[in-house]
Amino acid sequence: MALLIVLAALAFLMLVAYRGYSVILFAPVAALGAVLLTDPGLVAPMFTGLFMDKMVGFLKLYFPVFMLGAVFGKLIELSGFSRAIVAGTIGLLGEKRAILSIVLVCALLTYGGVSLFVVVFAVYPFAAELFRQAGIPKRLIPGTIALGAFTFTMDSLPGTPQIQNIIPTAFFGTDTWAAPWLGSLGSIFILGVGLFYLERRRRAAARAGEGYGDDLANEPAAFVDARLAHPLVALLPLLVVGIANKLLTLAIPRLYGSTQSFVPTVVGDAPPVVQDIAKVAAIWAVEGALLLGILCVLAFAWRPVSRRFAEGSKLAVSGALLASMNTASEYGFGAVIAALPGFRTVADALHAIPNPLVNEAVSVTALAGITGSASGGLSIALGAMAQSFVQNAQATGIPMEVLHRIAAMASGGMDTLPHNGAVITLLAVTGLTHRQSYRDIFAITVIKTLAVFVAIVAYYALGVV
């Protein structure tokens, strides 16, 4: 019964998300409904002490990233840089390669360390423009961005600085470059099959006479100036964000050390506030990089931006509020579900899978799917099962680097179910619904999940690491 309650809560939240209802409203309803059926006396304590605590904690850390990312994306739109990038891309690759262009830009940003959420805000304006000019249905934009930002550069490519590739290092004593050949092989599989799928979808739409679409929500504002910036100038803010993020990631720990403390008042005896720099260095780096990117746009396109900055910034902040609240609600839901007895039943059942790598892959992707979070599911799975994964791997001679890569890749598989925060943010930013675009996101999810097992087969068949 405990297991059924967890599964029912998950199914309910996926259903309401797919049907377009507010996750901000229904995530606590689903989570507390499961608590009510498990232990009614814990409903209020769980809501205040766990759901709201995790939700507010997420906003405390990440809302500035959402807000700055939204403002940066809006300025890219208002400056006309999105149109300039589109014009340059069409000239270089041709209109028929619009999907490849967006995938490569997303991949460049995420592999450079830019947050997945920031990539969505930054890339959408010129993705919409490129798809409009190429006559490709707008409904394919979420699947295209998902392929470029949520898959191979998130956890498969060796060295990627995304959190899903960093978490396993603490459990297996590895580094972010673990199992480079397996990661590269999985990346090639994801990119190749993903592009093949999206291209088939584009051709099917073209045969049916379907264009970009009409009367669509959240369309980027039209750029009224006749002159466009040079494509390299338009790309400069994106490069500034990627490079600055890398440099700040290295510089912040050296500048601040491991901790920083200060007294929050000069009146009274308030205890000092101690900040663990390791926990916020990456976030500070992204925020600093986005500020530099915003300043770069303003420096090169002050005139077109200044005329519409007031209204544009209001829309950007509103979008950031909605996107961050959606994701934070999902984070709170996952925390509550992970605290229920039924979740332990799921975790214990996964131990029965005999093969060490398959056991790890299924465990991580299942828990990521239940919690709706790649990093959350990965943290829970490794926190509870890493010791058994290591013991089973050592008994069969599997290197820790392989465990690292399989765990990281598996975390980004079934985490993108309909209730996933990144999926909801992506759809909210693009102005589309689950019914319009989730099919393609799910197809990319399936391809990503299959890539994990391709890597496992490659390890056993070829012995590559």
Side-chain angles (χ1 to χ4, degrees):
M1 182 58 70
L3 175 61
L4 291 177
I5 290 171
V6 167
L7 296 179
L10 176 64
F12 172 75
L13 188 57
M14 286 193 294
L15 176 64
V16 296
Y18 187 82
R19 294 182 65 86
Y21 293 100
S22 172
V23 173
I24 300 172
L25 174 63
F26 282 101
V29 171
L32 298 178
V35 177
L36 178 66
L37 295 174
T38 303
D39 188 345
L42 289 179
V43 171
M46 279 273 198
F47 176 69
T48 303
L50 190 56
F51 183 91
M52 289 303 299
D53 182 66
K54 294 296 184 180
M55 179 178 175
V56 173
F58 181 91
L59 292 172
K60 171 186 171 183
L61 286 175
Y62 296 108
F63 175 70
V65 175
F66 277 81
M67 183 177 67
L68 292 172
V71 171
F72 177 67
K74 178 59 69 173
L75 295 187
I76 289 289
E77 169 193 328
L78 297 179
S79 63
F81 285 180
S82 60
R83 282 181 175 264
I85 293 171
V86 167
T89 302
I90 290 176
L92 183 64
L93 298 177
E95 291 186 355
K96 293 185 178 180
R97 294 185 176 86
I99 290 175
L100 173 62
S101 301
I102 299 303
V103 169
L104 292 180
V105 170
C106 291
L108 174 65
L109 289 173
T110 49
Y111 196 63
V114 179
S115 164
L116 310 179
F117 296 102
V118 174
V119 171
V120 173
F121 286 110
V123 171
Y124 168 61
F126 66 83
E129 187 65 34
L130 182 56
F131 275 50
R132 184 189 297 111
Q133 291 192 24
I136 301 173
K138 181 183 179 181
R139 60 182 174 82
L140 295 181
I141 291 179
T144 304
I145 293 178
L147 176 60
F150 298 175
T151 58
F152 62 100
T153 53
M154 186 177 82
D155 52 47
S156 300
L157 274 181
T160 176
Q162 299 297 330
I163 189 65
Q164 293 80 7
N165 190 42
I166 296 173
I167 291 173
T169 60
F171 294 92
F172 302 129
T174 51
D175 57 36
T176 58
W177 296 89
W181 289 108
L182 285 182
S184 300
L185 178 64
S187 299
I188 293 170
F189 176 85
I190 296 165
L191 180 60
V193 178
L195 287 173
F196 175 77
Y197 167 80
L198 291 172
E199 186 62 22
R200 285 192 59 188
R201 295 281 284 160
R202 183 195 68 80
R203 291 180 180 177
R207 288 194 299 269
E210 181 183 358
Y212 180 74
D214 300 312
D215 194 25
L216 298 166
N218 203 27
E219 279 295 283
F223 180 68
V224 294
D225 286 23
R227 295 180 60 188
L228 293 177
H230 190 280
L232 293 179
V233 174
L235 277 172
L236 184 59
L238 298 177
L239 294 177
V240 165
V241 171
I243 295 171
N245 182 48
K246 180 64 175 179
L247 295 177
L248 289 173
T249 299
L250 298 174
I252 287 173
R254 296 177 182 175
L255 180 63
Y256 287 96
S258 58
T259 61
Q260 278 284 309
S261 63
F262 61 92
V263 178
T265 179
V266 295
V267 178
D269 296 319
V273 176
V274 180
Q275 178 66 70
D276 186 347
I277 301 301
K279 294 181 179 179
V280 296
I283 299 171
W284 288 0
V286 171
E287 292 168 358
L290 286 170
L291 284 171
L292 291 175
I294 289 170
L295 293 175
C296 183
V297 176
L298 294 175
F300 285 94
W302 172 256
R303 182 176 296 177
V305 168
S306 61
R307 290 198 295 263
R308 293 181 290 172
F309 180 78
E311 188 62 30
S313 60
K314 290 179 184 177
L315 294 173
V317 172
S318 297
L321 280 168
L322 178 61
S324 59
M325 284 295 294
N326 276 325
T327 307
S329 295
E330 285 292 339
Y331 199 71
F333 169 82
V336 172
I337 294 300
L340 296 178
F343 191 83
R344 171 58 62 183
T345 304
V346 173
D348 291 341
L350 293 172
H351 282 295
I353 301 174
N355 184 279
L357 295 181
V358 175
N359 185 338
E360 181 186 46
V362 173
S363 298
V364 171
T365 199
L367 297 183
I370 290 173
T371 59
S373 167
S375 57
L378 180 61
S379 297
I380 292 169
L382 295 186
M385 307 176 189
Q387 186 174 358
S388 64
F389 292 157
V390 170
Q391 291 174 349
N392 293 336
Q394 289 175 339
T396 53
I398 298 173
M400 293 299 103
E401 289 78 7
V402 176
L403 280 185
H404 172 125
R405 187 56 53 204
I406 296 302
M409 291 177 65
S411 72
M414 298 308 293
D415 70 303
T416 48
L417 291 175
H419 64 298
N420 172 265
V423 170
I424 292 171
T425 298
L426 175 58
L427 294 175
V429 169
T430 56
L432 295 164
T433 66
H434 281 79
R435 288 190 178 187
Q436 290 173 301
S437 295
Y438 183 70
R439 170 183 174 180
D440 300 311
I441 297 173
F442 183 72
I444 298 301
T445 295
V446 172
I447 293 169
K448 177 67 171 63
T449 304
L450 288 175
V452 181
F453 296 96
V454 169
I456 292 174
V457 170
Y459 170 72
Y460 284 117
L462 304 176
V464 294
V465 176

